Amino acid sequence: MPAHPARGPGSPRDHPGSPAVNTTPHLLIVGAGQAGAHLAGSARDQGWKGPITLIGGEPHAPYTRPPLSKTFLKGQTPLSSLALRSDAYYTQHRIDLVVDEHIDHIELAGDGTGTATAATGRRWRFDRLALATGARPRHLPIEHADLDGVLTLRDLHDAQALAQRLTTATALVVIGGGFIGLEVAATATAAGVPTTVVEAAPTLMNRVVSAATAKIVATAHRAAGVRIRTGVRPLRLRGTNGTITAVELDDGDELPADLVVIGVGAQPRDELARAAGLHCDNGIVVDAHCLASDGHTIAVGDCANLPDPSPASDGTVRLRLESVDNAVEQATSAAGTLTGLHRPYRSVPWFWSDQGNLKLQIAGLARPDDEIVLRTGRRPGQHTTLRYRGSRLVAAECLNSPADFLAVRRALGEETPLPRVTAADTGLSLKEHLAAARTPR
Ligand SMILES: Cc1cc2nc3c(=O)[nH]c(=O)nc-3n(C[C@H](O)[C@H](O)[C@H](O)COP(=O)(O)OP(=O)(O)OC[C@H]3O[C@@H](n4cnc5c(N)ncnc54)[C@H](O)[C@@H]3O)c2cc1C
């Protein structure tokens, strides 16, 4: 990707040939989710003077998604407390929030200005565009996935439908043993719905945690009553009168089901960017300043493919991060790009998942072949799996161990060395080991 110096608002170079400098450029943010909402507020806080329009395709003001597969599904989080900001916040920050408008076309000029058109025909001119379009559930190419009772979970509408179905379901099959699938399975089982998780890989959460952590998690779910089938794939879905009745597996088994949740990952919503001519490859390709390939358009959150922001990274590895932390931190950095502060996005990525009684917190990014040091905590259910690449600590997977999580997250940010042999010594807590490592001798 070419290097494109970021330019602040109002720069004459933003409008080549224009006799007058536009001192109140209009920032248009498409996608009113976690990243878009944070970008709007952060841009205003960091000094964006011109109008800001935040457009979302859903009929709601920006809300937080993590509870959708957890407390909201249990009925413990009321709808009203999902909102990311109060209505007054948008007014006070002079953010024009437009909901229920799906942008389906963008005309983008070479200087980053352009026009966005919604499905309803409404149009917005912009001086600067930010895309925060998020992701959608990955499609599972399986026969009869359109049967009634087969759901995915990405937005509030999906969560409301699932919560409703759970009140009458007698047999749930969750396809996909990743974070969302396991959260749903734990919630449904606790609510008394017999649940089976079907995972094609040999272990749960295969792409994101070590086999050691996955094994502990699987044991805990089984103990709570979740049935888990790994190493098998759903072959086809069966139904009667258009409604799901069973999931047929590739090992010949058939699981009866009156509810199926497909949770096999998410895909970036980058079609608008592609059509506008921006470089996309598993998401909208951006640099460390959140600039897309035209050097003007910003892309943030789940839709962006970015250089690994970890402090120890050389930035050559590209990835997409699907987490609240990434949406917020990347949006903060992007706001700096828009307002001329130009702070590259550097941060220790982190993520959490609540699955029944398990609180999983992950700091840093591990690769499948990174080695492990497993520490079992003093209280039942407490485990921390440290991931090492050679002699370097690169990540930690913490189960019910928030103190370890905080200690490692800080250590990764400061690049505090923690030799493997030290880490394996459970006589001291990780916090104590790391404090000792920081103390000058
Ligand atoms: C059920 C669930 C549970 C999760 N749990 C956790 C968790 O425990 N911890 C964690 O860190 N992360 C969790 N995540 C991930 C986290 O919610 C996402 O990483 C985060 O929401 C990404 O923010 P975003 O703004 O990039 O995308 P989103 O929040 O998806 O927002 C994108 C918005 O853009 C809108 N949009 C898209 N295209 C258009 C268009 N053309 N016009 C107008 N609007 C458009 C979409 O409708 C959507 O509202 C969870 C996600 C889900 C779905």
Side-chain angles (χ1 to χ4, degrees):
M1 187 169 60
H4 296 287
R7 297 201 289 271
S11 154
R13 291 182 62 203
D14 279 343
H15 302 277
S18 160
V21 173
N22 182 0
T23 53
T24 58
H26 177 205
L27 168 63
L28 179 73
I29 303 171
V30 179
Q34 190 89 45
H38 192 83
L39 176 60
S42 193
R44 188 61 86 210
D45 290 346
Q46 293 187 45
W48 184 272
K49 299 264 184 300
I52 298 177
T53 306
L54 174 62
I55 298 185
E58 295 182 63
H60 319 281
Y63 60 89
T64 179
R65 274 165 224 275
L68 299 185
S69 48
K70 309 175 183 81
T71 50
F72 181 77
L73 217 47
K74 284 185 199 154
Q76 291 171 351
T77 301
L79 195 59
S80 55
S81 63
L82 292 179
L84 285 170
R85 309 282 194 196
S86 66
D87 290 348
Y89 174 91
Y90 298 103
T91 315
Q92 281 157 9
H93 287 74
R94 290 182 294 117
I95 296 164
D96 185 14
L97 173 64
V98 180
V99 297
D100 219 359
E101 287 282 0
H102 188 269
I103 299 298
D104 65 4
H105 180 69
I106 286 174
E107 273 164 47
L108 194 54
D111 63 356
T113 65
T115 309
T117 308
T120 56
R122 276 181 81 183
R123 285 157 67 88
W124 287 265
R125 280 219 20 91
F126 56 82
D127 298 290
R128 204 72 191 257
L129 173 68
L131 296 170
T133 46
R136 60 166 60 85
R138 188 180 300 282
H139 172 69
L140 184 68
I142 191 169
E143 239 180 284
H144 304 313
D146 55 350
L147 284 168
D148 183 48
V150 181
L151 309 185
T152 53
L153 177 54
R154 177 73 201 179
D155 60 25
L156 186 50
H157 176 76
D158 300 336
Q160 286 170 321
L162 179 55
Q164 179 61 38
R165 296 269 181 172
L166 281 173
T167 59
T168 55
T170 57
L172 166 65
V173 173
V174 174
I175 300 177
F179 291 124
I180 290 179
L182 291 172
E183 289 172 3
V184 169
T187 304
T189 304
V193 180
T195 301
T196 306
V197 175
V198 174
E199 167 57 56
T203 58
L204 300 176
M205 299 179 288
N206 188 254
R207 289 174 303 128
V208 276
V209 301
S210 62
T213 298
K215 198 171 158 195
I216 297 166
V217 170
T219 304
H221 279 296
R222 286 193 170 111
V226 182
R227 283 186 290 256
I228 296 175
R229 303 281 307 267
T230 53
V232 280
R233 288 170 192 278
L235 204 57
R236 67 179 64 82
L237 305 180
R238 289 198 180 284
T240 307
N241 299 329
T243 301
I244 184 78
T245 54
V247 178
E248 201 181 307
L249 303 179
D250 65 358
D251 64 357
D253 267 7
E254 193 168 295
L255 305 174
D258 55 5
L259 182 60
V260 167
V261 174
I262 299 179
V264 293
Q267 283 178 316
R269 293 175 75 158
D270 59 7
E271 56 277 4
L272 270 183
R274 277 176 198 277
L278 299 173
H279 180 206
C280 295
D281 178 11
N282 180 32
I284 307 165
V285 173
V286 295
D287 65 12
H289 295 273
C290 316
L291 286 168
S293 56
D294 66 345
H296 300 283
T297 305
I298 295 281
V300 284
D302 285 14
C303 68
N305 174 328
L306 62 148
D308 180 352
S310 312
S313 154
D314 65 5
T316 55
V317 173
R318 296 198 141 267
L319 35 76
R320 256 182 352 97
L321 291 169
E322 292 173 11
S323 72
V324 167
D325 164 62
N326 174 66
V328 168
E329 295 296 329
Q330 203 191 10
T332 306
S333 169
T337 300
L338 288 166
T339 55
L341 296 175
H342 308 313
R343 276 189 299 252
Y345 174 33
R346 289 309 239 181
S347 178
V348 177
W350 68 272
F351 186 87
W352 84 93
S353 172
D354 295 333
Q355 301 172 17
N357 294 329
L358 287 175
K359 182 166 207 60
L360 170 65
Q361 292 167 295
I362 301 173
L365 296 174
R367 296 186 201 144
D369 54 350
D370 290 334
E371 290 170 40
I372 65 164
V373 173
L374 181 61
R375 291 172 58 95
T376 296
R378 294 191 185 122
R379 287 211 293 278
Q382 278 192 323
H383 303 273
T384 293
T385 306
L386 298 170
R387 309 294 304 272
Y388 278 85
R389 198 166 304 153
S391 59
R392 195 156 51 87
L393 175 67
V394 290
E397 300 149 7
C398 306
L399 286 167
N400 300 330
S401 307
D404 282 4
F405 166 73
L406 288 175
V408 174
R409 197 172 124 198
R410 181 176 166 199
L412 292 173
E414 295 171 349
E415 297 187 61
T416 310
L418 182 65
R420 249 192 272 202
V421 46
T422 313
D425 168 14
T426 50
L428 290 181
S429 69
L430 278 178
K431 190 177 168 192
E432 288 164 331
H433 280 310
L434 287 163
R438 278 186 205 102
T439 312
R441 287 160 200 257

